[in-house]
């Protein structure tokens, strides 16, 4: 009997030692995996340092130049970037979006959607959008917190027909290039959404005016493309923030635009807008206002109202600057200022994103589930079996 007890104790000691060994092995696997991932990250960093794919901010890019840059990023960062065709304009130019992730493969993340260049003459806005792409893709390590639980979809040029016409024929051109009859062309994309459509002032119904809202809501393929992206994100339960880039009012606008009543979460909208405005003022000294447009100048058909109405809880129009150090340049800043102004816009966009992520975090349970190891791993099963055996021996 005593001999049996000594055998049981010896076996129990061996089992406990084996359990500890398995635990150590399990931890070493995890540590080894983390070290491997860190090594891969260093390799990626070195590769990116050798080929930084920096955006050219020394000039205004053409439509083709923008597509070339997006294609370059898509090829160099294919694990984190998805370039998609989302529509075709009246003049048969392809509309593109670039979706940016951190490459971890997790699904169901929240989303931020940024669109620029709806108004053709606002040349600075595609620059700011592409600069945002560069920060998130090329400089992703600096901004990893913005991509941990969120994906970004960016449409750098909503209105390529109008933009090309503005660059080559009439720089004041604002609208699309679809014909309206009577030698009148173009619809104001940011009046073409189905929210308070044609509400506000007479020019919205004038097919020869640059405020023309179109023959019907979503008459323009560009507006339909933006709408479809929004609806996809809303239906997937991922939509959190929409930002439409414009110039040059130096403001952050939020819903509603087509009416003077406050939005349901007006305090939250104002908080995010204020956060972005203050960040830009702190960084550059530029004063940005933050306000609800509809309180003083209501008009309908805007993308920011539409996004909010269908389920984006945060929706804004960020109006970039039109002056620097006392010099006014309206919609066309000198190219020597493009980098500085694009950086200012990124300060505002990233600050608003940080506040949005704080207000709308990915649920803790979702994050935990996507990171935790399976409870049915081999190591865990062995631990359970050994513990049961130990308990059985001790109970004899």
């Amino acid at each position: 009997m005593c001999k049996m007890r000594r055998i049981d104790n010896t076996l129990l000691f061996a089992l406990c030692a084996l359990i500890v060994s398995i635990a150590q092995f399990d931890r070493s696997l995890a540590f080894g995996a983390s070290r491997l991932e860190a090594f891969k990250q260093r390799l990626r960093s070195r590769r990116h340092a050798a080929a930084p794919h920096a955006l050219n901010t020394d000039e205004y890019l053409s439509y083709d130049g923008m597509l070339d840059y997006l294609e370059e990023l898509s090829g160099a960062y294919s694990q984190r970037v998805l370039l998609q065709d989302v529509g075709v304009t009246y003049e048969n130019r392809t509309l593109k979006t670039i979706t940016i992730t951190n490459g971890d493969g997790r699904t169901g993340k929240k989303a931020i959607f940024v669109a620029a260049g709806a108004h053709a003459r606002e040349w600075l806005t595609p620059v700011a959008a592409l600069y945002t792409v560069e920060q998130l893709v090329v400089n992703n390590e600096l901004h990893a917190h913005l991509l941990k639980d969120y994906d970004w979809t960016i449409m750098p040029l909503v209105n390529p027909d109008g933009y090309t016409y503005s660059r080559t024929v009439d720089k004041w051109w604002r609208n699309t290039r679809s014909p309206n009859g009577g030698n009148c062309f173009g619809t104001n994309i940011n009046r073409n959404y189905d929210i308070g459509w044609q509400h506000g002032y007479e020019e919205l119904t004038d097919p020869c005016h640059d405020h023309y809202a179109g023959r019907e809501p979503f008459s323009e393929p560009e507006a339909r493309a933006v709408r479809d992206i929004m609806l996809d994100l809303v239906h997937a339960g991922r939509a959190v923030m929409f930002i439409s880039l414009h110039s040059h009012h130096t403001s952050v606008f939020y819903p509603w635009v087509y009416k003077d009543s406050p939005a349901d979460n007006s305090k939250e909208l104002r908080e995010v807008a204020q956060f972005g405005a203050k960040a830009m003022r702190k960084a550059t000294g530029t004063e940005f206002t933050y306000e609800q447009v509809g309180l003083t100048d209501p008009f309908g058909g805007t993308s920011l109202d539409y996004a909010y109405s269908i389920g984006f809880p945060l929706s804004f129009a960020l109006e970039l600057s039109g002056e620097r150090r006392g010099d006014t340049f309206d919609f066309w800043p000198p190219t020597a200022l493009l980098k500085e102004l694009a950086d200012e816009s990124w300060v505002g966009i990233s600050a608003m994103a940080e506040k949005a992520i704080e207000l709308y975090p990915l649920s803790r349970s979702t994050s935990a589930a996507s990171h935790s190891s399976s409870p049915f791993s081999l190591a865990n099963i062995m631990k359970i079996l050994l513990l049961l055996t130990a308990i059985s021996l001790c109970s004899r």
Side-chain angles (χ1 to χ4, degrees), residues 161 225 341:
D161 291 354
L341 291 167

Side-chain angles (χ1 to χ4, degrees), residues 185-232:
F185 294 84
T187 290
N188 188 322
I189 295 175
N190 204 38
R191 307 292 184 271
N192 193 229
Y193 292 82
D194 192 11
I195 179 77
W197 183 72
Q198 286 193 337
H199 171 74
Y201 37 83
E202 291 182 5
E203 292 85 352
L204 293 168
T205 62
D206 182 353
C208 295
H209 202 280
D210 65 7
H211 284 296
Y212 181 53
R215 66 182 182 275
E216 62 184 7
F218 297 119
S219 62
E220 305 308 289
E222 298 88 348
R224 294 197 297 272
V226 175
R227 173 202 64 190
D228 292 347
I229 297 165
M230 291 178 178
L231 289 173
D232 285 347

Side-chain angles (χ1 to χ4, degrees), residues 12 41 69 127 133 158 175-176 226 312 335 343 349 366 376:
L12 180 59
Q41 186 65 33
Y69 182 65
V127 179
V133 171
V158 173
N175 292 350
T176 64
V226 175
F312 279 81
T335 53
D343 191 63
I349 292 168
T366 302
F376 301 108

Side-chain angles (χ1 to χ4, degrees), residues 8-30:
D8 286 351
N9 289 341
T10 302
L11 182 58
L12 180 59
F13 177 80
L15 287 172
C16 291
L18 185 56
I19 291 171
V20 171
S21 298
I22 291 172
Q24 292 289 350
F25 177 70
D26 206 18
R27 282 196 292 271
S28 67
L29 282 177

Side-chain angles (χ1 to χ4, degrees), residues 132-147:
T132 296
V133 171
E134 180 190 42
Q135 297 308 305
L136 292 170
V137 177
V138 180
N139 299 325
N140 68 302
E141 290 185 5
L142 294 175
H143 312 299
H145 62 293
L146 300 177
L147 290 161

Side-chain angles (χ1 to χ4, degrees), residues 358-396:
E358 176 188 321
L359 294 171
Y360 291 86
L362 196 65
S363 67
R364 186 174 299 174
S365 59
T366 302
S367 297
S370 62
H371 283 99
S372 62
S373 60
S374 170
F376 301 108
S377 67
L378 179 60
N380 286 339
I381 291 172
M382 289 180 68
K383 290 174 192 176
I384 293 169
L385 290 174
L386 289 169
L387 282 171
L388 290 174
T389 304
I391 292 169
S392 176
L393 287 171
C394 291
S395 64
R396 290 184 181 180

Side-chain angles (χ1 to χ4, degrees), residues 145-205:
H145 62 293
L146 300 177
L147 290 161
K148 180 183 177 184
D149 294 325
Y150 272 66
D151 295 337
W152 292 59
T153 295
I154 299 176
M155 193 171 182
L157 188 56
V158 173
N159 182 12
D161 291 354
Y163 178 76
T164 302
Y165 191 81
S166 175
R167 280 172 46 88
T168 58
V169 180
D170 176 9
K171 74 175 186 177
W172 284 95
W173 191 257
R174 190 184 196 191
N175 292 350
T176 64
R177 290 296 299 161
S178 54
N180 300 326
N183 202 33
C184 296
F185 294 84
T187 290
N188 188 322
I189 295 175
N190 204 38
R191 307 292 184 271
N192 193 229
Y193 292 82
D194 192 11
I195 179 77
W197 183 72
Q198 286 193 337
H199 171 74
Y201 37 83
E202 291 182 5
E203 292 85 352
L204 293 168
T205 62

